[in-house]
Amino acid sequence: MKRIFSYLPKKVLFAIATVAAIAGIAVGVQAGFGPDRPTYTMAVPADHITFNSITDNPVAGDERAFLKGAIDGAAGFTDPVTGAADGQEITLQMYVHNNAASNLNLKALNTTVRVALPTTGSRTQTVTGYISADNATPGTVSDTLDLTGANNGSFELEYIPGSAEFTNNVFKNGTPLADSIVTTGALVGYDKMDGVIPGCTEYSGWVTLKVKVKMPNYAVQKSVRLKGEGADKWRESANVKIGDTVQWLVKVSNIGNTDLKNIIVLDQLPPYMSVVPGTVKLIDGGAYTDTNPYIYPNSAIQEKDGKVYVNVNSGDYAPGSIAYVMFDAVVKDDKAIECGNQLLYNIAYATPEGLGAVSDTAQVIVVNEQPCEQPTKPVYSCDELNVTTIGGREIEAQVKTTALNGAKLNNITYSFGNGSQNLVTDKSTVNYTYASDGTYTIKAVPSFTVDGKTVTATSDNCVKTVSFQSNTPVTPPSVLPNTGGGSAGTLIGLFAGSTAIGTLGYRFLAIRRQGR
């Protein structure tokens, strides 16, 4: 077999590889074409009439993936086609090949090609191509092509009449195909479009046709004015006072190339505003004009979870159409906005049927001459610890604290630094007596109640050190007194006894508490 003319470039379909983990076998999954059928090679073609079942065609690759597409201006045909934008044209391409060996002289009869285009808008569209013949096995083969819109936008595909043609070794510049290719199908052939195609690559050919991307494109604009102002006063922000009536305007524009159905306008009011019943209206420049608007029933005013909405269906709009939804709202006399300036946002959404929402905001600033009192923050602290030595090893500890703006002093924890148990009291002045000489660190930590919670305050100002040392050092006698016993054991026992008595007679710890 000999290829006489130069075919259009076409990339091989990417086969998605999956792994059968349990069996440990790699399985190739090729999606989009069907039905399952025997496959052949260029060296070993089919022994009967079958279409697009050779897997190593040097021009078309795996022929089962015979449908590709290219946005006009793209370098080559691919599947999928991504980033289709509004108004662009996409060329669809199908390869048609009777795989029967040439020496069998088997001719396909009534060979028909058909392209099924989606009929509704979607973010992802699937086009399906079909090749069929009366005497082929299987009778019909198919392949799919996926397309996605730019920026994940929804779009429709529209066939361009007169764009379908067939190119092969006879019709090297292409010959027209019937527009029925996108409905009931169109006949193709070799030397005439009579449905007869012999077996071999030299009799194969390419179908091309064009579709146009129609991407919905719509916008919403929100504005506000004080009631009574002129048409030139619509703006994004307005200063108002409590009791003023403002008018909100939602402008919905169909700026795309497709019709928009059942556009829902949802307007979420800011807090502290209420809709005036009977003022929600529609102006569309057609049946409903500025002097004869459509007045929505009060059921258009809805409340949910404490928020107020205007929720209406503004109808269907062709490309270039504009609709306006208007209503009045009053700034309520609410304690929350009785002082200072309050910024209130209003947000509006427009959602055509089957499509996503677009939104815009406007605002009013409620201006009040009465300034708001600034909230006071609780203040609490441990300010100072004063320690005074009274006599011997007795001290007086005095703590100064601050508790303002709702903070309340609960108690003070005193630590005397000698390992004794901490003293917890509501007194700011306490007395304490140490049992022995030494250097001790005294700490005071006050506890407060603040906003219903218990907190403490530490400070270096509430830490002090004291030191005690006897003024008359004890000097042991050079000669121990003779008590009559004379023995070392007696002396040790006497010493131990006198020490115990002294210990019992000694005031180890005394605490005198005074309130100051």
Side-chain angles (χ1 to χ4, degrees):
M1 298 183 186
K2 185 177 180 182
R3 181 166 61 92
I4 299 176
F5 67 95
S6 298
Y7 291 96
L8 297 174
K10 187 171 183 180
K11 296 183 179 179
V12 177
L13 177 68
F14 175 76
I16 302 173
T18 60
V19 177
I22 297 177
I25 300 173
V27 180
V29 178
Q30 293 175 309
F33 49 76
D36 290 336
R37 56 193 184 271
T39 58
Y40 305 93
T41 63
M42 295 296 290
V44 184
D47 59 359
H48 61 283
I49 297 172
T50 188
F51 278 90
N52 291 48
S53 300
I54 287 177
T55 59
D56 63 346
N57 189 312
V59 175
D62 187 338
E63 295 176 355
R64 294 173 297 176
F66 58 81
L67 177 60
K68 301 287 191 295
I71 298 173
D72 281 4
F77 290 88
T78 61
D79 181 7
V81 173
T82 59
D86 184 42
Q88 287 185 324
E89 292 183 1
I90 298 176
T91 299
L92 307 180
Q93 181 195 72
M94 295 171 58
Y95 181 62
V96 182
H97 180 203
N98 176 359
N99 295 159
S102 60
N103 60 355
L104 299 179
N105 295 317
L106 298 176
K107 297 180 179 180
L109 303 178
N110 196 32
T111 305
T112 303
V113 294
R114 182 169 68 91
V115 175
L117 298 175
T119 58
T120 59
S122 177
R123 290 181 174 85
T124 299
Q125 299 283 19
T126 299
V127 176
T128 305
Y130 299 92
I131 305 171
S132 60
D134 290 350
N135 56 343
T137 303
T140 302
V141 295
S142 64
D143 186 32
T144 61
L145 167 66
D146 292 331
L147 305 97
T148 58
N151 301 318
N152 199 32
S154 179
F155 65 101
E156 299 174 6
L157 294 175
E158 181 181 68
Y159 170 65
I160 300 177
S163 65
E165 61 180 28
F166 189 66
T167 303
N168 65 4
N169 282 332
V170 175
F171 302 101
K172 296 182 180 181
N173 294 320
T175 188
L177 295 178
D179 288 337
S180 58
I181 189 173
V182 293
T183 55
T184 59
L187 287 174
V188 291
Y190 175 59
D191 53 1
K192 51 181 163 297
M193 299 300 104
D194 58 357
V196 179
I197 297 183
C200 187
T201 55
E202 64 182 285
Y203 303 107
S204 64
W206 300 86
V207 173
T208 58
L209 67 154
K210 288 181 178 291
V211 293
K212 189 171 184 177
V213 177
K214 298 177 65 179
M215 182 172 288
N217 194 2
Y218 45 99
V220 62
Q221 182 179 356
K222 182 71 183 178
S223 52
V224 65
R225 70 180 178 185
L226 289 170
K227 187 169 184 177
E229 292 183 329
D232 60 339
K233 295 299 183 181
W234 291 110
R235 52 197 184 273
E236 293 185 357
S237 180
N239 291 347
V240 300
K241 301 187 298 296
I242 291 175
D244 281 350
T245 299
V246 301
Q247 293 182 310
W248 296 103
L249 177 66
V250 183
K251 177 184 177 181
V252 182
S253 305
N254 184 350
I255 55 178
N257 295 311
T258 61
D259 292 342
L260 299 177
K261 306 292 185 181
N262 295 318
I263 302 177
I264 302 299
V265 174
L266 180 68
D267 191 290
Q268 179 181 326
L269 260 71
Y272 320 121
M273 299 196 78
S274 59
V275 181
V276 178
T279 64
V280 183
K281 58 186 178 181
L282 170 69
I283 300 170
D284 62 6
Y288 305 114
T289 63
D290 190 34
T291 57
N292 184 39
Y294 173 76
I295 306 298
Y296 288 98
N298 289 337
S299 58
I301 305 170
Q302 302 171 4
E303 184 172 349
K304 183 179 180 181
D305 299 330
K307 298 178 180 179
V308 178
Y309 301 87
V310 169
N311 188 357
V312 299
N313 186 327
S314 65
D316 302 343
Y317 292 91
S321 299
I322 297 176
Y324 299 90
V325 174
M326 296 175 56
F327 61 92
D328 295 355
V330 176
V331 183
K332 296 188 295 185
D333 187 3
D334 192 288
K335 290 186 179 299
I337 56 172
E338 287 182 348
C339 64
N341 295 343
Q342 299 284 338
L343 177 61
L344 306 181
Y345 280 104
N346 176 282
I347 183 168
Y349 303 87
T351 310
E353 182 179 306
L355 302 173
V358 292
S359 64
D360 191 31
T361 61
Q363 65 186 32
V364 293
I365 302 173
V366 183
V367 179
N368 293 288
E369 296 179 358
Q370 179 65 33
C372 294
E373 294 183 5
Q374 296 298 319
T376 54
K377 183 178 180 180
V379 177
Y380 56 94
S381 61
C382 188
D383 302 326
E384 187 177 7
L385 170 63
N386 291 314
V387 177
T388 303
T389 302
I390 297 177
R393 299 189 188 93
E394 185 178 3
I395 62 157
E396 180 182 79
Q398 185 181 36
V399 179
K400 295 181 181 179
T401 61
T402 296
L404 300 173
N405 302 333
K408 179 182 178 183
L409 176 66
N410 295 329
N411 52 53
I412 302 172
T413 299
Y414 295 88
S415 172
F416 297 103
N418 61 346
S420 62
Q421 184 176 354
N422 291 342
L423 173 63
V424 181
T425 175
D426 60 356
K427 306 299 182 182
S428 60
T429 301
V430 298
N431 285 60
Y432 184 82
T433 301
Y434 288 94
S436 59
D437 291 345
T439 299
Y440 306 100
T441 299
I442 305 168
K443 297 180 181 179
V445 180
S447 168
F448 303 87
T449 298
V450 179
D451 295 331
K453 298 180 180 179
T454 300
V455 297
T456 58
T458 59
S459 171
D460 291 342
N461 294 333
C462 292
V463 179
K464 289 292 187 293
T465 300
V466 294
S467 182
F468 298 101
Q469 186 175 4
S470 176
N471 294 328
T472 307
V474 177
T475 302
S478 58
V479 179
L480 290 177
N482 188 344
T483 61
S487 68
T490 302
L491 291 174
I492 293 174
L494 180 60
F495 178 77
S498 63
T499 302
I501 293 172
T503 301
L504 290 174
Y506 182 78
R507 184 177 65 173
F508 177 72
L509 178 66
I511 301 175
R512 184 174 67 228
R513 302 174 182 176
Q514 300 179 22
R516 297 259 177 120

